[in-house]
Amino acid sequence: MKRILLLVTAFILTAAAAAADTDTADTVAADANSETGSGSGSGSGQLISLAFGSIDISDAFSGMFPSYVQLGIDYHGLELIEGKPTILRLLAGGARTSYTLWTNDDGAPVESYPTDESAMDDLKFAFWRGDLQARLIQEILPHTAAYAQWSLVGALPVENIGGASSTILTTVNAAAYPDKDGMLANVLRFGISYDTTVKGTMRDGIFADLSVTAAPGFLLNELIGKTDFYQVNGTLKAFIPLYAVPMAASETKRWLSVYLADRIQVDYTLGEAVPQIYQEYSSLGKKMRGFESTSLGVAFTAVNNLELRVSGPQFGLFGMQIGYPRVHLFADAGFCSGDYFNNDTAENSLFTASFGAEAALDLFDFLDIGYRYGFIAAGETIRGESSFGELFFFLHW
């Protein structure tokens, strides 16, 4: 039943995107809490088209069902620079999502894995969230766009599905958990992006993004909870084709595709009140396969994710592309340094590394159902294990 729900969701979202003539090659759709999103391009000739933002999961259905989707429109009726496309993107989203904390009552890192289920349950929590987002995207050169974004983000932590006295709900340390009783924040983001990526079974091209996020307290960010931080993010992705076996009847379809994929991501965050929503994606643990997702949440984190990707042929049904099998060999290397978020506990320049393999079935170029197995080569997880295996439904990056 869970898998059926996933397939239905993937089909609906993909069909909607196709109906909106979605094309992201020359536009940016970075979301405040993800590297990039998706959205409609400016090449359709439509005045208004459908746009998607970020997608997240919940503790509902064991985390197997996308319960949070930003949805909105792209307005193409503006022209700030003659001959250059301008897009005004308006998005809204709201749902229940979930997290696991790897910090204690005072915000310091958890050093050992809980010995019983109730202690583990205390680290888990869910929250109701909602946001409004307005983003202005301006092409300035071919494949290059500048963007400015305003977001109004709200969240209210609650017990997870199993019910627990979650740390974030019971702690009295509002400095370590400024969003413990909820948060409402105005967040600004400015950036520039370059994207020549050709998607499909054989990716090719470069994606680069540099952005600054500002959520200072004086932007009315202390009315509910407290939000006060700044963040600089740099992301570079490269896709290099190596080998292909084309189908005789098609110039674009292939029996086999082999290419290298590499991502470098650097985040620097400073501020005295960083909500949980904005901690996860800059934490080193989120960027490293095999490490706990929100662990190593410190001021400076950097990662390099290198993959050798092998993709099989596209499966089709009634003229529609369904998906394709894929296998990856990966090696992740990371570095972090600085104080933990909302805490003066310092991480002394830690280097981490992991490697392994993953196999999956891509569905609609949206969802990847697969299994990952790997080994820890440097650093130590909270679990203290040297190897890891896990099911996944979305690729690591």
Side-chain angles (χ1 to χ4, degrees):
M1 181 63 183
K2 294 175 180 177
R3 183 165 297 183
I4 292 174
L5 288 172
L6 280 171
L7 293 175
V8 171
T9 303
F11 177 81
I12 292 172
L13 293 178
T14 305
D21 194 18
T22 300
D23 177 12
T24 59
D26 296 327
T27 62
V28 181
D31 176 71
N33 49 335
S34 66
E35 292 173 21
T36 59
S38 61
S40 301
S42 57
S44 64
Q46 297 175 327
L47 184 63
I48 296 177
S49 56
L50 186 65
F52 287 99
S54 64
I55 298 172
D56 207 346
I57 60 174
S58 171
D59 53 351
F61 302 102
S62 300
M64 300 175 66
F65 183 71
S67 61
Y68 171 77
V69 179
Q70 280 185 323
L71 183 64
I73 62 169
D74 280 349
Y75 176 70
H76 306 279
L78 301 174
E79 188 174 286
L80 300 182
I81 301 176
E82 186 176 358
K84 301 291 185 182
T86 304
I87 298 175
L88 176 60
R89 176 165 296 153
L90 303 174
L91 297 172
R96 175 190 170 104
T97 54
S98 57
Y99 282 87
T100 299
L101 292 172
W102 293 108
T103 48
N104 61 24
D105 288 351
D106 297 325
V110 173
E111 296 182 353
S112 60
Y113 198 79
T115 56
D116 59 72
E117 189 62 31
S118 62
M120 181 67 226
D121 211 32
D122 287 347
L123 298 179
K124 299 177 181 179
F125 73 101
F127 57 80
W128 293 101
R129 63 174 293 181
D131 55 72
L132 298 173
Q133 185 183 115
R135 169 180 282 239
L136 188 67
I137 306 168
Q138 176 62 58
E139 181 182 287
I140 53 178
L141 291 170
H143 305 289
T144 306
Y147 57 91
Q149 174 182 298
W150 165 80
S151 299
L152 180 64
V153 183
L156 178 64
V158 294
E159 290 182 349
N160 62 49
I161 289 295
S165 54
S166 300
T167 298
I168 193 173
L169 299 176
T170 59
T171 182
V172 297
N173 195 329
Y177 298 98
D179 51 343
K180 63 182 295 296
D181 296 316
M183 56 87 70
L184 183 68
N186 291 280
V187 183
L188 303 178
R189 187 173 185 177
F190 306 93
I192 187 169
S193 177
Y194 176 79
D195 192 358
T196 64
T197 305
V198 177
K199 298 184 178 181
T201 59
M202 172 81 87
R203 288 205 171 193
D204 185 7
I206 293 174
F207 171 85
D209 183 86
L210 180 64
S211 67
V212 176
T213 300
F218 61 77
L219 283 183
L220 301 179
N221 287 344
E222 298 184 19
L223 297 178
I224 300 177
K226 181 178 180 180
T227 301
D228 188 0
F229 73 93
Y230 299 87
Q231 185 178 80
V232 179
N233 169 267
T235 301
L236 175 64
K237 300 179 184 180
F239 305 95
I240 305 172
L242 297 178
Y243 180 74
V245 179
M247 292 184 178
S250 174
E251 296 181 359
T252 58
K253 295 182 179 180
R254 305 171 181 88
W255 289 109
L256 181 70
S257 302
V258 183
Y259 65 99
L260 282 176
D262 191 66
R263 179 184 73 165
I264 298 173
Q265 182 179 338
V266 178
D267 290 281
Y268 181 68
T269 306
L270 65 129
E272 61 178 25
V274 186
Q276 295 298 318
I277 289 178
Y278 289 91
Q279 290 187 23
E280 183 184 20
Y281 285 92
S282 57
S283 299
L284 184 58
K286 178 69 175 182
K287 305 172 188 177
M288 295 284 304
R289 277 163 286 202
F291 288 78
E292 288 80 9
S293 183
T294 56
S295 63
L296 300 174
V298 296
F300 177 80
T301 60
V303 74
N304 184 81
N305 306 113
L306 177 64
E307 296 181 358
L308 175 66
R309 297 180 176 180
V310 180
S311 302
Q314 278 272 11
F315 302 131
L317 183 64
F318 305 120
M320 181 175 59
Q321 300 297 333
I322 301 298
Y324 57 91
R326 59 196 304 169
V327 176
H328 304 160
L329 300 178
F330 69 84
D332 296 344
F335 175 83
C336 67
S337 181
D339 290 350
Y340 278 78
F341 297 134
N342 309 331
N343 191 276
D344 56 6
T345 302
E347 183 63 62
N348 297 318
S349 301
L350 178 66
F351 174 76
T352 59
S354 63
F355 65 93
E358 47 192 26
L361 178 63
D362 177 279
L363 296 175
F364 305 107
D365 201 24
F366 160 74
L367 183 70
D368 290 89
I369 300 177
Y371 184 77
R372 175 185 300 127
Y373 192 83
F375 301 88
I376 304 299
E380 187 174 351
T381 67
I382 298 174
R383 290 177 175 84
E385 299 174 346
S386 59
S387 63
F388 57 93
E390 56 191 359
L391 290 169
F392 63 86
F393 298 89
F394 294 94
L395 293 181
H396 187 69
W397 65 279

